Amino acid sequence: MSAVVFRLLSAAPTAIPDNPDVVDDFFELCSTVLRLHPALLAESELLLSSFQCGCAALRIQHREANRAVVGFFEMLLVLRQAGARGNLSPAAFNGITTLLVANGAQLAQELLLAIAGLVPPARVRFLSPVLKGLVLVDYADSRSWLEAAVQALPPGGHMDGATLLQAIYSAEALARDDRGAGDRVFGQAAEAFSNACRRRRLL
């Protein structure tokens, strides 16, 4: 089934936006598998294909399909963060970690483009948990991915991107607490970056 989905969604430049129901159903299924039986996907070669397909679909305009794609990345990053405290086998944890270290830059670029204006403003709040999860994979690696993503933006977005990075790598954003202060910093920083880019009509 996955092979059929990947063929369909890569058949033409408009294949992803033309098939929102397929995108929705496929990534809902991926999230369910990761939640209930993560090894089935995390220890499979399908994980890389699903990740790359998700990066391509992150900017889809269809609301439910977009939420399904974002939910897939959020679940993947939550599992990586939970590690041995979750229900991941060592092989599944290593599979997810290897995937993210090798392909985090791709997700960082698509995520920043989506926040900067490629998805409707109302959906930016759903992207900030993915942004935080990506940062928590590894501070140094994720910063290099996001710095490269900022530099890949049109020049008018470089200063706003630098402000975003300063906020999300601040001590307040990365502090561990039970009150959600760090989550609020990420959410506010993503909203501010998105608003600034949209005012400039960056994309």
Side-chain angles (χ1 to χ4, degrees):
M1 185 193 72
S2 297
V4 172
V5 168
F6 297 145
R7 279 200 303 273
L8 173 65
L9 297 182
S10 62
T14 61
I16 288 175
D18 287 348
N19 294 279
D21 291 343
V22 174
V23 174
D24 184 11
D25 291 345
F26 179 72
F27 284 101
E28 283 287 354
L29 176 61
C30 288
S31 295
T32 300
V33 171
L34 285 174
R35 185 173 68 253
L36 299 178
H37 302 287
L40 289 178
L41 186 56
E43 296 181 30
S44 163
E45 61 186 21
L46 288 175
L47 183 62
L48 175 59
S49 299
S50 300
F51 182 94
Q52 292 175 333
C53 185
C55 285
L58 197 55
R59 61 182 71 180
I60 192 170
Q61 298 299 300
H62 188 277
R63 184 177 62 183
E64 287 76 16
N66 183 261
R67 283 292 293 136
V69 175
V70 172
F72 163 71
F73 284 118
E74 190 171 357
M75 178 61 66
L76 190 69
L77 290 161
V78 164
L79 284 173
R80 167 58 176 73
Q81 186 63 19
R85 293 179 286 106
N87 60 342
L88 279 186
S89 66
F93 177 79
N94 289 338
I96 292 174
T97 299
T98 299
L99 171 83
L100 291 170
V101 170
N103 299 277
Q106 181 184 7
L107 177 56
Q109 183 166 8
E110 291 299 330
L111 189 58
L112 223 60
L113 287 170
I115 294 171
L118 292 186
V119 300
R123 292 186 212 159
V124 171
R125 64 191 176 97
F126 299 115
L127 295 173
S128 61
V130 179
L131 180 61
K132 183 175 183 180
L134 187 64
V135 166
L136 295 178
V137 169
D138 182 274
Y139 293 164
D141 284 346
S142 64
R143 183 146 198 162
S144 70
W145 302 333
L146 288 164
E147 285 174 347
V150 167
Q151 290 305 308
L153 292 171
H158 291 177
M159 185 174 296
D160 296 317
T163 301
L164 170 68
L165 295 188
Q166 183 178 11
I168 64 176
Y169 285 96
S170 67
E172 182 183 6
L174 300 176
R176 300 189 178 209
D177 64 68
D178 297 325
R179 296 170 296 172
D183 294 341
R184 286 192 294 275
V185 172
F186 272 85
Q188 291 165 0
E191 293 278 0
F193 172 70
S194 180
N195 291 339
C197 291
R198 291 170 202 271
R199 282 196 303 270
R200 298 180 192 276
R201 297 182 180 179
L202 195 68
L203 301 175

